[in-house]
Every structure is written in C-alpha cells, then in structure tokens.
Amino acid sequence: MSVKAFELVPAVERDLLMGDKARINIECIECCGKQLYVGTNDCFIHHFLLDEVTSSKGKLTYFAQKLLHKYLGLKKPVSELRAASALQRLIMLCDGILFLVDMVSLETVPSGGGAKIRGVTAFCVNENPVDGDPFCVEMAVLSSKRRTVQIYTVNKDRVQLVKEVNTPEQPCAVSLDGYFLCLALSTQYMILNYNTGASQDLFPYNSEERTPIVKRISREEFLLAAPGGLGMFANSEGVSQRAPVNWSESVIGAAVCFPYVVALDENFITIHSMLDQQLKQTLSFRDGHILQDFEGKVILASTKAVYVLVPLPLERQIQDLLASHRVEEALILTEGAQRNIPKDRFQILYKRILQQAGFIQFSQLQFHEAKDHFRKGHLDVRELISLYPLLLPASSSFTRCHPPLHEFADLNHLAQGDPEKVLRCKKFLISYLGEVRSTEVVNGCREDVDTALLKLYAEQDHASLLDLLASDNACVLADSVPWLEKYHKYFALGLLYHCNGQDSAALQMWTRVVDGDLQDHTRSDLYEYIVDFLCSASNLDLVWKFADWALHKDPTIGVHIFTKRIASKVQAELNPDDVINYLGKHSQALLLYLEHLVLERRIKKEKFHTHLAVLYLERVLLLLKSPTDEEQLTNARERLQAMLRESSLYRVQFLLGKIENCEQLLLERATLHGKLEEHDKALHILVHKLRDFPSAEAYCLWAASSRDAASRQQIFHLLLQVYLGKPQMAPDGCNGGEMEMAAVDLLNRHGEAFDAVRVLKILPDGWSLQLLKPFVGRAIRASMHACRTSQIAVGLARSENLQLLHDRLKERKKPIVISEKKGCHLCHNTFSEPDVVCLPGGVPVHTHCGAQRIRDSPTKRQLTNSSNHT
Amino acid sequence: MNVGKTSLLHRYMDRTFKDTISTVGGAFFLKQWGPYHISIWDTAGREQFHGLGSMYCRGAAAVILTYDVTSWQSLAELEERFLSLTDTAHHDCIYAIVGNKADLTDTNAQLAQDSDGHSGDSDSLERTDEQVLSACPTPPASPVSLSGLMPHKQVTHEDAVALYGRILRYKGLEETSSLPAEKMCFETSAKTGYNVDTLFETLFDLVLPSILRKRNENQGCTVNLEDSRGGGGSKRSRSGCC
Ligand SMILES: Nc1nc2c(ncn2[C@@H]2O[C@H](COP(=O)(O)OP(=O)(O)O)[C@@H](O)[C@H]2O)c(=O)[nH]1
Ligand SMILES: [Mg+2]
C-alpha cells in the first residue's frame, strides 16, 4: 500500500534544547522563515536559525543554530507561541496569560494601554484576516469559565478587543478564517460567524474523551477530528465537500499538505490522500507531541526534539507509484496535482505519466486500459513499435525517449520468453496500429507505422495484409521486401511493388508464383489476376512483355488481355492490327481476338471479317483432313456457315476460290454464291449436288429475307424451276419423282412467295389438283383476298373523292367565271377555251399551266386530289 | 446496516458489483451529468458515524433512503433512526425510497436490465461477466425450486409507499404538491443492476431544474441524496457547475 510521500528529517536534536535534563519537555513550537521558536515546560523560549542543506545526492538535512533562549519567569510551561512576523512579535500563552515578546530579543513588550489578557485557555491567529492592514494581526481567544470567544487585533505594541461572541457551551478549541470561527465546544463542533452571530452546528463530539482538532486547511475549510477516528472536512457553510479520512482514535495533531492529510498520534504519523481517502504512508514516531504546518512546512515535535516532515517531490512520488505498478493511484495523484503545477508543465508531466501507465498495463497485458492511456497520453506509437524487434524500418529516425517510458528492452524481455504472451502483444499491436494509422497520431511517422504493420501482418499471416497494400500506404519498400519474402508473401510483395510503381517487378514476382518457382497460396486464381492486371495496365510495353507468357499459359484466358481491356481515356489504346500481328503465332488466341472484334465489337472492317472467315475455313479444312471428331467438325462448320451467312463484309470471291474444288463444303459454296447473288448456281448445288431440299428451301428463305416482294418471288420461282426442270444427269441415281415431291412441298409450304398464275402455267399437266390443294387453296384465297381488298380500297377512295368534291363545292357555291379578258394566274395569258383548272382558293389557271405546276410541286398528290376541272 | 448503499453506488458509477468493505465515515462520488457534476455521498451506517449523517445531508437536493427488501427491520430503522438526519437537507429536497437486493426476492430483478440498456460506456469484459451472471441465477435452481430458496420478501412496495407518505408528513409537505409515491419508490438490485440506472437518472432529471433555478438565484447549489438503512446511510449530492 505504501507510497513514500514524506521523509522525516531531524531539525533540532535533544542536546541543543535540554541536554540531559530529563524533566524538561517541549510544549510548543513556531516557525516562520528560518526562525524556529520552541517553548518548554520550564518557561523557556528557545530561538534557532534553521538552515536547509541539500546534499549533492538531493538529500535534505537541517542545521539548527541556537541564537538565544530566554526564561519568561512564570515557572509555568509555555503553552502556545504564534509569530506575528510583520510586527516582529511573538504572541505567547503561558499560565493563562497572553502577552507579546520581541521576535529577536525575546524581551516582553508591554501591551500598551490594555491590561494583560488573563484566563486564556487557547487562542488562534486569523490566517485570512478581514482587516487588510498587514501590520495588524487578528486573533480569537478562548477563556476558561466563560462561554465566549473574544476577537482581538494585535498591533506592534497594542492588543485590542474588537468583538466578543457568546457560545452555547464552553469552547475548548478554535480556528479562525475571515469572520468564521470554527469551534470545538464540549459536546459538538460548530461554525460561528462572529460578525453576524449566525451559527451552524456541525456534528456531535465529546471533547472530554478525545482532544478535539479544529484545523484550518484552506480558505473557509476546516479539518476536524470526528468520532470513530475520522478526519472530517467542513466548510464555513457547514458542508462537507470531501470524503473523510480514517485516522486512529487518538490523533493529536493534523495538517494538510496537498494532496495529503498528515496526522499524528502517540506512535505514528499517518498520511492519507485526500484524493482517494486511502492511507498512503505510515511513519513510526515515538512520543509524538506536536504536529503543525507553518507556511506549508510540516514540523513535528516529540517531547525532546524537533523534526521536519519533508514531502518528496511529486514526480518522484508518482514514479515510485508507477515503479510498484500502482497505475490508478499514480494517475489520481497526477490529476490531483494539476492545480499545483503550471499548466504547460502539468501537460508534459501528465502525458508522460499516462504513457508510462500505458506501458505498465501493456506489460500486464491489460491492453484495453493500455490503449486508453496511450491515446490520452498522445504516445508516439513508435515507442510501442520499437519494443517489437525489427519492426521499425531501418530508415526510421526514431529513438526512444529519454528517460525511458518503461523498463523493457524489447518484447521478449517483457514477455520473459512466453510465446503466448508475445503473440498476444503482437495481436494487440496489430489492432492498435490498425486503428491509429488513419488518424493524426501517425503524422510524421506513417512510413514507420505502415511498415511495422505490414511486417506484423505478414508474420501473423493476417488477412489485412492485402487490404493494407491495396489501399494508400506508406510501407518502406527496402524494408518490406525481405520481410515479405521471408514469409513467402509473394503476392503481397507484388502488390507492394505495384504501390511503388514497379509493375514490372510485380508481374515478374507473380508469374514466378504461377510458374511454381515460388510458393505462395494467397490466391489460387493468381493467373487470372495477372490477366486482369494486364487488362488494366496503362503501360503497353508491360502488356506486350507479359502477354506472351499469359497466352502460353492459357490462350483462351490470356487473350482477355486484349479482349477485356478496359477502355478508358487515360489508357493508351491498343491498335487491333498490332494485336493481330502479335497474335500471329497464337492461332487460338488470334481466332478469339478476331471473334471479339467481329462478333462482339462488331467492327466493320473487311480485313477482320475475311480473316476470321478464312480462319474458320482453315479449321474446317483441317478437320476434314483428319476426320476424327464428328462433333468438332459439325461445330466448326456451323460457325463457318454462320459467319458466311451473317457477315457481308468478307471477300466472297477470295473464299470461294479457296473452296471451289472442295466437294465436302458444298453448303458453304452455295452460301457464297448466294452472297454473290448467283442463286441459280447456289440452288443448283443444293438441289442437284447435295439433293438437300430442306437446305434449298432454307436458302431461299435466307436469300429472300429483307428483299422486296419481286426479288423474293424471283428466288422461289428459281427453285421451283430447278425442281421442275429437266432431270439432269442424276449422279447418285435419284429420280425425278423426288424432285416433283419437293416442288409440291415447296408450293404447299411457301405458296405466298409465288405468283400462282405463273406457277400454274409451268406445272406439268398431269398433276392432280388434290396434290396441290393447299397451294391452290391458299392461292385462290389470296387472290380473292387481294381482289376484294383492292375493291374495298377503290370504293373507299371513291367515296373519299366524292366527299371532298362535295365539300369543295359547298365551300364556294359561286361559279368560277372565266373570260377572254381574264388572264391565267400562272402564265398570264388569256383564256381561249372553257377548260380551266382551279388552284386552291378557286383561282383559275390553264389546264397545262396547272399540270406543269403539279409536276414541279413536291406536294403533287395533294394538289391533284384537291383540284378539279370545272 | 448493509442494505447495499455502497454497492448501489459502485454499480452505478463503476458498473460492477464487487465486495464492499464497511463504509468508514462516508464516501464521496462525482458524477458527470451532461455539463454538470453531481456529487453523491455514501454514508456510513455504523453507530459511531451516526452524527455525521446530517453533515452530508446539509443542503442536499435529493436523498435516497435505502432499505433491504428482505429485512423489515431495515425499513423500520430508516424511519426511526435516519429520517431525522435529513433535517439539514434543503427545504426543496426530494426523497426516494429504495428497496435494494430485489434480486433475492424477485426473479425479474435477476436480469441485469438497467445496465444493459446503457451499455455504451462500460467495459465490455465486465459486461459479459455480468450477463453470464444474470443468465444463470443462483446455481442449481430452476425458477420453481428457486422460489423455495429465496429469502422471504419482508417489505412490500406498499410498505415503502406508506413510509413515503409518512416522510412527507414528517417534512410537513403536502402530498398533493409533492412527487407521487409511485414515482419515488424503487426496488433495485446492486447485484444485477436492476433499476439502478433508472433510479439515479430519474432523480437527476428531477433535481437538476431546481438546482439550476437556485443557482440563478445565487444560492449555494446543493443537491442532496441521502439514503439509509440499519446503520442509516445517506448520500448527498451537490451539483456544482462544471
Ligand atoms: N443479493 C444482493 N446482495 C447485495 C446487494 N447489494 C449489496 N449486497 C450485499 O450486501 C452487503 C452490504 O453491502 P454494502 O454495499 O456494503 O452495504 P452498505 O453498508 O449499505 O454500504 C454486501 O455483502 C453486498 O454484497 C444486492 O442488490 N443484492
Ligand atoms: Mg457502505
């Protein structure tokens, strides 16, 4: 429990006072400045000069030099002594008589005028006088046998009664602050305002059982001995503002030396903190007799000797507390001392104590508390990092502060080799750095913090390593590389290179991992990652450099470098021609790239289309040579066919040339002919060579799509003719009946595409109507429909025309008058015939002029409709 | 004695329930409440410190009179021995009557209800402990058999309400113009935290306006909580400005 807050230092030894005269005892003391006065029971006053000497080691000693001693001639003990230094007087109480002596000569001074004050049991001096006169001392005096308190003023040679107040009981101890008397009566304490007479009972106390204590400790605040051995605080309003301290029952003197309450009983000096009420220190002290504070100096006396209770410097006390790991108390003491220390000094001290406290808690693995204190104490995080061996980058300029904040060399020292402890400390640092790295705490040391964090992440195999590297960071490259290599974090290392603008090194690293030269399982899809990375790489040289590697690994994914390249303004665009050239040796990738250009990006360039078609064709031809996989071939042909059908940009003749003599690709040839509008050739191939009637039909539909009705008819008729034409030399011996059936099916299925009349003319006579019933039926219905529709249209047009005529005539009932005198509005010649045409608005013009105008006018039709001959 | 005054304050201030030692003389806490500091006194129940109670109560704005729900005597002593200590309280002082150790008689109070609602500022580690503690009440028992083990509840809510009425009469206060008994009689458990925050926060909210008013009138601004049982405890809180 104990703190060393004070040290007891002898001031006046026994020899100086009474030598070996056993019956002589110290009765009272007074000290002001260096002057020490001691009153004894044989009616002497001793005057000493007390010199304070600090040894080179900081140890304080006192030297007392005796100046004078004087017998007062009353044969009674000197019971109290008070200095009024401004007056050069000592106020003394001896044998119930109060009188003044000169401070230097110790001669009695006649208290001019007034009679001696007799029958005095106790008195006190007002340390907070109401009168501003510095050469006037106020004192309160208690007398035996009288229930009053008298207030006197003391001048250099005069003592004057100014006030007398009654008390309900006999007072036995008094203290005075301003107008407030704090009194111990026989059964209770009370506060009494001698100016107004107002009183406030404090609490009961039996003064016969225990010596009461009324000690003024600060402005309008008193310390009182309370029942149960308590030291109670009370202010002038009778209110307690601090919790009491727990003394022993027999306390005879007490004083406050902030933040401590010092008390004396028969055998001990006890020291309690006012901040937490705890007992902090106990000093053994035999024959204790007096404890008083004089201008902040606590002086004690046994019956034979005088001592000074010297407080240790606050910082030393705090350090002692910290040294015994009493963090809470150290902080309370520091905070409590705030008002006694200049603000800026306090700030520095407090920060330091917080940091030290943090390290103590850290070493006890109380991380939560440690963190709070580090934060509050604005700890330079590098102090913490530097505990962990090798975490700070070699380039760091950091050195630990001096004096050190803790006693540990490093983490191993702190954990005493316990790996579990080390691990917990590392985990803590990870979370702590993670939290602070984005705050201003790391201003000026971001490199150090980020590098340390990177190292910890790598070592602990922490998932956030990648987050750190993926975000804005200040990891020092030179330091991090070996560390990441050590823990096989090659992927992360690549990221680090990337952060440092060394993409090439990054890719080098990653490709080695993919190739199995290096082991790092961070990403199972590292290859894809690299491809993605290249897709967005802005440096084209890099793309060219690593594309080869990627394509070798896997052309289908590798080609993404080119096909999935993210288009953006900042990125240089790849020229497709360059890519195609480059991909020359990677046929599969080339194909994919061309497909990307043609099919996805729909680039309309003959070159690409032809190239792609040729590639398709070559593949088909290759497969044809070694017909192993039927399905592959079918697939390849389907693609080729689709390409040939759908694109119209490739060079048809060129391709045709390539397959002209390939009897296996007739269908493709037909398509190519179709592209050249050589439908007869195409159909010939389909019908006669392939005898593939469904394809022939499909061809017609394809060739006819998006054509006008006439061309459609043309194509279908062509096919019909082919079917019905003279059977050619059928190579594989198929008969004409088959073709006729095909013709029938064609007609029945696509009747709408034919001109029925033309069809009927060319059909062989022998065909039954039954056979063609669907065709004929549909043809008749269609022509009926057409006929009726047109009749309706005519009817409607007529009625509209009539309607308009009617309207028009109604509009202008007046006749249009023409004469030879009138001129045509258009040619300005006169009319010679009655035939005229009216312009809108009824203006007559020559018929030929009107016609002319209509011919020139863009709105011909309307005009024709609305004009009329009269 | 030992109704749990110190424990209540520990629960409220530190959010823990730990072993207490018999309070010597009195103890003092400062609670930050918004921009204000409220001072709270914890009183000592022992006979020898009895005389000090009125010191702590002087000028108090609120007094918490605490008894133990399992002890009829504690309620009786409150009235017989400790009520007179409140004579020094401010004339506006409000009184709360608190039956502590409710966890011993009431299964509801075994759940750490209050402190949970204010989880924000308390230590999470301790918090977990506390929840563990509340999740499994006194070890072997199911709620049914538990009732058999429970100490008998000796003081009912009605008893407390009746005492509140007598206190008002003693103070010469009109029941109609004072705060209603329903609002001012609490049952708490320092052990589980049951109702503890509610108790203090209710009082602070009630007391603050009158303190501010007094301060404006330039009077000394003291709030005062006093509480007691057996040895009589009184807490006093003074509000000072920050
Ligand atoms: N079961 C239970 N015990 C409590 C409670 N509050 C206090 N105690 C116990 O009661 C005893 C006295 O508590 P303490 O706070 O010192 O009472 P005080 O004398 O009024 O300050 C201690 O043993 C506490 O553990 C409570 O709410 N429930
Ligand atoms: Mg207590």
Side-chain angles (χ1 to χ4, degrees):
Chain A
M1 81 91 211
S2 71
V3 185
K4 200 167 175 209
F6 293 92
E7 224 169 16
L8 195 60
V9 180
V12 183
E13 312 272 356
R14 176 182 177 139
D15 328 351
L16 269 179
L17 274 165
M18 64 277 305
D20 49 6
K21 288 180 224 161
R23 273 173 297 114
I24 297 175
N25 289 339
I26 298 174
E27 284 294 322
C28 57
I29 51 178
E30 167 66 305
C31 179
C32 63
K34 288 181 170 186
Q35 319 294 320
L36 176 70
Y37 300 88
V38 176
T40 54
N41 59 348
D42 57 353
C43 210
F44 270 91
I45 302 179
H46 301 260
H47 181 192
F48 298 94
L49 196 63
L50 201 57
D51 268 313
E52 210 177 87
V53 183
T54 313
S55 78
S56 56
K57 284 181 190 154
K59 190 155 174 64
L60 199 73
T61 44
Y62 285 97
F63 283 106
Q65 181 194 352
K66 187 156 183 172
L67 298 180
L68 198 65
H69 60 124
K70 183 153 177 75
Y71 178 58
L72 293 173
L74 291 167
K75 292 187 180 156
K76 290 285 163 89
V78 181
S79 47
E80 279 189 61
L81 265 177
R82 281 290 166 272
S85 53
L87 313 179
Q88 285 291 300
R89 294 288 178 265
L90 284 176
I91 309 167
M92 334 215 335
L93 177 62
C94 183
D95 196 19
I97 304 168
L98 206 59
F99 53 95
L100 306 179
V101 296
D102 186 275
M103 273 182 82
V104 180
S105 67
L106 303 184
E107 293 294 338
T108 310
V109 181
S111 50
K116 273 193 183 148
I117 309 169
R118 294 176 184 278
V120 175
T121 54
F123 74 97
C124 72
V125 167
N126 195 349
E127 289 171 67
N128 178 26
V130 285
D131 188 339
D133 180 2
F135 297 100
C136 171
V137 170
E138 294 166 18
M139 66 179 180
V141 174
L142 307 182
S143 313
S144 53
K145 298 184 214 106
R146 260 196 293 178
R147 291 198 216 158
T148 60
V149 182
Q150 294 173 318
I151 310 295
Y152 288 91
T153 55
V154 181
N155 292 312
K156 209 168 171 61
D157 47 12
R158 208 154 47 121
V159 179
Q160 208 172 5
L161 179 66
V162 287
K163 189 94 180 181
E164 180 158 1
V165 277
N166 293 319
T167 54
E169 295 171 8
Q170 172 66 42
C172 52
V174 63
S175 197
L176 179 58
D177 181 293
Y179 288 117
F180 292 102
L181 289 160
C182 184
L183 295 165
L185 306 179
S186 46
T187 64
Q188 64 160 327
Y189 288 103
M190 77 180 296
I191 299 275
L192 180 61
N193 183 324
Y194 76 76
N195 192 36
T196 63
S199 70
Q200 172 68 69
D201 292 350
L202 294 178
F203 51 88
Y205 185 77
N206 190 336
S207 62
E208 265 152 39
E209 280 173 19
R210 299 270 169 242
T211 333
I213 295 175
V214 281
K215 170 77 191 145
R216 176 191 181 272
I217 58 163
S218 67
R219 239 185 93 86
E220 297 188 4
E221 190 172 11
F222 303 93
L223 175 60
L224 314 169
L230 290 184
M232 275 289 279
F233 297 91
N235 68 10
S236 56
E237 284 163 34
V239 171
S240 198
Q241 283 171 320
R242 305 172 203 273
V245 291
N246 190 13
W247 291 332
S248 70
E249 291 278 356
S250 54
V251 167
I252 47 184
V256 164
C257 182
F258 193 84
Y260 299 105
V261 179
V262 183
L264 175 71
D265 63 23
E266 288 137 355
N267 292 309
F268 296 101
I269 303 161
T270 55
I271 291 147
H272 287 81
S273 168
M274 289 163 84
L275 303 171
D276 60 8
Q277 285 76 55
Q278 300 301 310
L279 177 63
K280 297 292 179 184
Q281 190 183 3
T282 307
L283 294 153
S284 156
F285 192 66
R286 279 309 191 89
D287 291 327
H289 191 41
I290 299 166
L291 184 154
Q292 273 181 307
D293 60 321
F294 303 97
E295 299 153 347
K297 185 187 284 180
V298 180
I299 299 184
L300 292 107
S302 64
T303 47
K304 308 291 181 191
V306 181
Y307 300 82
V308 181
L309 193 64
V310 182
L312 293 177
L314 188 73
E315 294 179 35
R316 166 101 180 270
Q317 293 179 40
I318 295 169
Q319 290 306 336
D320 284 353
L321 283 171
L322 287 174
S324 45
H325 291 183
R326 288 155 67 188
V327 172
E328 278 313 308
E329 286 172 77
L331 287 172
I332 289 176
L333 183 57
T334 316
E335 282 156 19
Q338 179 162 13
R339 58 173 198 190
N340 294 12
I341 303 179
K343 197 172 168 203
D344 18 334
R345 241 196 77 203
F346 175 78
Q347 285 305 337
I348 294 168
L349 174 74
Y350 189 45
K351 267 193 200 170
R352 191 181 153 81
I353 303 301
L354 282 168
Q355 296 176 1
Q356 284 182 287
F359 274 108
I360 289 169
Q361 286 159 331
F362 173 76
S363 71
Q364 296 168 342
L365 310 189
Q366 296 171 356
F367 297 126
H368 188 79
E369 294 79 3
K371 184 155 77 180
D372 274 0
H373 289 139
F374 288 152
R375 283 255 174 91
K376 258 168 99 183
H378 301 282
L379 177 76
D380 180 340
V381 279
R382 294 175 297 180
E383 286 285 353
L384 185 60
I385 299 173
S386 73
L387 262 180
Y388 298 68
L390 302 175
L391 282 196
L392 281 176
S395 57
S396 172
S397 59
F398 173 77
T399 49
R400 286 192 195 172
C401 87
H402 191 83
L405 293 171
H406 52 79
E407 72 221 48
F408 306 107
D410 62 19
L411 196 58
N412 297 325
H413 175 206
L414 183 148
Q416 291 174 327
D418 178 349
E420 217 262 330
K421 259 187 164 184
V422 171
L423 187 66
R424 288 185 60 191
C425 291
K426 285 184 174 168
K427 293 231 160 97
F428 165 69
L429 188 61
I430 286 180
S431 80
Y432 185 57
L433 292 183
E435 279 171 43
V436 298
R437 75 174 282 262
S438 46
T439 66
E440 77 280 6
V441 174
V442 299
N443 281 354
C445 59
R446 278 203 63 193
E447 284 93 357
D448 295 359
V449 171
D450 283 1
T451 310
L453 199 53
L454 173 133
K455 290 176 179 178
L456 281 169
Y457 281 156
E459 185 194 299
Q460 298 296 318
D461 206 14
H462 199 287
S464 303
L465 175 61
L466 302 184
D467 296 337
L468 173 71
L469 288 167
S471 62
D472 186 24
N473 69 77
C475 299
V476 175
L477 187 65
D479 238 69
S480 307
V481 172
W483 202 280
L484 290 174
E485 279 173 348
K486 180 174 166 197
Y487 293 99
H488 301 273
K489 300 290 176 196
Y490 301 112
F491 174 67
L493 181 51
L495 288 179
L496 180 67
Y497 279 130
H498 173 58
C499 296
N500 284 274
Q502 303 183 16
D503 285 356
S504 178
L507 285 162
Q508 207 84 54
M509 193 54 60
W510 291 334
T511 54
R512 287 177 65 197
V513 173
V514 173
D515 289 340
D517 297 349
L518 299 171
Q519 296 298 316
D520 174 9
H521 302 290
T522 311
R523 286 193 79 122
S524 52
D525 60 343
L526 185 55
Y527 171 71
E528 286 81 356
Y529 182 88
I530 296 173
V531 170
D532 277 355
F533 185 86
L534 288 171
C535 283
S536 50
S538 50
N539 181 349
L540 288 183
D541 294 341
L542 217 56
V543 175
W544 295 124
K545 186 170 162 196
F546 286 93
D548 222 30
W549 175 86
L551 289 165
H552 270 300
K553 275 272 153 205
D554 182 347
T556 43
I557 296 178
V559 76
H560 289 170
I561 296 172
F562 305 106
T563 58
K564 298 239 167 104
R565 196 164 169 77
I566 294 138
S568 84
K569 277 172 225 153
V570 273
Q571 279 197 34
E573 248 332 300
L574 281 168
N575 181 350
D577 291 326
D578 293 347
V579 177
I580 289 167
N581 275 342
Y582 175 81
L583 290 176
K585 44 191 187 306
H586 303 278
S587 54
Q588 199 182 347
L590 178 60
L591 183 75
L592 290 166
Y593 184 64
L594 282 168
E595 280 182 337
H596 164 74
L597 293 179
V598 171
L599 305 178
E600 267 167 51
R601 286 173 60 190
R602 307 201 166 279
I603 291 180
K604 300 210 181 313
K605 256 187 156 179
E606 177 272 323
K607 211 166 137 189
F608 301 153
H609 285 241
T610 308
H611 199 158
L612 181 59
V614 168
L615 286 183
Y616 280 150
L617 177 61
E618 278 170 356
R619 178 157 170 77
V620 170
L621 290 173
L622 193 75
L623 286 168
L624 280 173
K625 262 184 221 149
S626 52
T628 43
D629 191 339
E630 198 57 37
E631 201 185 313
Q632 259 192 0
L633 180 63
T634 322
N635 265 340
R637 281 191 70 180
E638 265 166 18
R639 281 208 205 181
L640 173 62
Q641 286 163 11
M643 175 72 197
L644 296 179
R645 264 197 313 273
E646 266 138 52
S647 165
S648 46
L649 291 170
Y650 58 88
R651 277 154 58 200
V652 184
Q653 289 294 4
F654 179 70
L655 277 150
L656 205 51
K658 282 196 175 262
I659 54 170
E660 204 112 57
N661 35 28
C662 179
E663 287 306 313
Q664 280 141 305
L665 298 178
L666 293 171
L667 204 57
E668 288 76 2
R669 236 154 83 187
T671 309
L672 288 171
H673 282 301
K675 282 279 165 189
L676 294 169
E677 302 274 319
E678 295 168 358
H679 301 303
D680 48 346
K681 279 191 193 163
L683 289 172
H684 179 80
I685 291 171
L686 290 170
V687 175
H688 291 297
K689 291 208 172 148
L690 275 174
R691 310 195 71 79
D692 182 352
F693 307 133
S695 293
E697 218 171 293
Y699 174 88
C700 287
L701 285 172
W702 167 67
S705 60
S706 67
R707 303 293 182 96
D708 62 25
S711 332
R712 285 170 66 101
Q713 249 185 36
Q714 183 100 45
I715 293 165
F716 275 92
H717 273 277
L718 205 59
L719 180 57
L720 187 64
Q721 274 161 19
V722 172
Y723 282 153
L724 297 180
K726 273 185 219 124
Q728 305 249 326
M729 4 79 247
D732 39 6
C734 74
N735 55 46
E738 220 180 325
M739 302 252 267
E740 279 178 8
M741 277 324 293
V744 171
D745 284 347
L746 180 67
L747 286 170
N748 285 343
R749 256 201 298 269
H750 299 284
E752 77 287 342
F754 289 91
D755 176 350
V757 180
R758 259 175 78 194
V759 169
L760 289 176
K761 273 184 197 149
I762 58 168
L763 280 186
D765 297 339
W767 285 21
S768 76
L769 187 61
Q770 195 57 35
L771 201 62
L772 287 170
K773 196 178 162 203
F775 169 71
V776 176
R778 196 191 292 167
I780 291 172
R781 214 174 295 131
S783 95
M784 286 288 279
H785 178 73
C787 169
R788 285 175 186 161
T789 314
S790 51
Q791 276 174 0
I792 290 171
V794 169
L796 284 172
R798 276 217 191 101
S799 74
E800 190 193 12
N801 183 264
L802 268 175
Q803 185 67 42
L804 288 170
L805 207 58
H806 170 76
D807 288 353
R808 188 164 165 277
L809 284 174
K810 231 171 48 188
E811 270 291 292
R812 32 205 227 47
K813 290 189 190 102
K814 23 177 186 171
I816 295 161
V817 184
I818 52 166
S819 72
E820 284 169 6
K821 284 173 197 158
K822 265 198 171 165
C824 164
H825 237 263
L826 292 174
C827 67
H828 304 292
N829 292 327
T830 54
F831 292 104
S832 52
E833 289 166 302
D835 281 355
V836 293
V837 169
C838 277
L839 294 178
V843 182
V845 294
H846 290 121
T847 319
H848 57 266
C849 293
Q852 177 69 39
R853 178 172 167 134
I854 287 162
R855 248 176 272 124
D856 298 345
S857 155
T859 55
K860 236 191 298 212
R861 264 189 102 73
Q862 288 171 358
L863 204 61
T864 326
N865 282 348
S866 59
S867 66
N868 194 20
H869 296 266
T870 26
Chain B
M1 292 253 283
N2 309 333
V3 295
K5 303 175 294 295
T6 307
S7 300
L8 273 175
L9 276 165
H10 275 299
R11 162 63 69 191
Y12 181 61
M13 300 298 294
D14 303 343
R15 322 210 65 80
T16 56
F17 179 72
K18 51 189 175 201
D19 286 344
T20 53
I21 48 162
S22 174
T23 308
V24 178
F28 176 81
F29 298 84
L30 265 185
K31 172 72 188 178
Q32 178 111 28
W33 185 249
Y36 307 102
H37 284 104
I38 295 190
S39 40
I40 310 171
W41 277 95
D42 176 19
T43 62
R46 278 191 273 152
E47 184 74 53
Q48 70 189 130
F49 303 124
H50 189 76
L52 306 179
S54 55
M55 279 287 285
Y56 303 138
C57 280
R58 183 157 292 127
V63 172
I64 303 173
L65 296 152
T66 312
Y67 62 92
D68 174 347
V69 289
T70 67
S71 159
W72 173 261
Q73 198 205 349
S74 70
L75 187 82
E77 287 188 347
L78 209 50
E79 190 168 5
E80 288 157 15
R81 298 184 48 205
F82 297 103
L83 192 52
S84 61
L85 296 179
T86 66
D87 292 355
T88 54
H90 196 272
H91 63 86
D92 276 356
C93 181
I94 61 172
Y95 296 86
I97 299 186
V98 172
N100 189 40
K101 306 195 187 179
D103 60 289
L104 295 175
T105 63
D106 186 349
T107 37
N108 277 346
Q110 287 168 357
L111 303 176
Q113 152 234 44
D114 252 26
S115 346
D116 274 2
H118 300 268
S119 53
D121 46 9
S122 75
D123 185 304
S124 57
L125 275 177
E126 281 165 19
R127 174 141 308 277
T128 332
D129 286 347
E130 179 180 296
Q131 282 164 343
V132 168
L133 194 141
S134 59
C136 38
T138 16
S142 70
V144 184
S145 60
L146 194 71
S147 59
L149 298 172
M150 278 182 168
H152 183 60
K153 182 165 180 170
Q154 289 195 359
V155 186
T156 64
H157 183 64
E158 287 65 41
D159 298 329
V161 168
L163 173 62
Y164 184 76
R166 292 197 295 279
I167 290 174
L168 293 188
R169 237 165 295 139
Y170 172 83
K171 297 284 167 192
L173 296 168
E174 282 297 321
E175 223 162 294
T176 44
S177 59
S178 305
L179 293 161
E182 285 309 320
K183 204 172 170 183
M184 301 309 285
C185 294
F186 298 80
E187 288 192 357
T188 62
S189 166
K191 187 167 173 179
T192 65
Y194 173 75
N195 246 354
V196 174
D197 287 350
T198 314
L199 165 67
F200 285 101
E201 287 166 12
T202 305
L203 287 188
F204 294 166
D205 284 338
L206 286 172
V207 131
L208 208 60
S210 72
I211 300 168
L212 296 180
R213 200 171 50 240
K214 265 172 245 156
R215 201 172 42 178
N216 287 344
E217 291 161 11
N218 266 338
Q219 294 193 4
C221 41
T222 36
V223 185
N224 203 322
L225 314 182
E226 124 133 6
D227 90 335
S228 121
R229 111 101 230 206
S234 71
K235 299 173 191 152
R236 96 98 119 303
S237 92
R238 265 170 227 145
S239 94
C241 68
C242 38

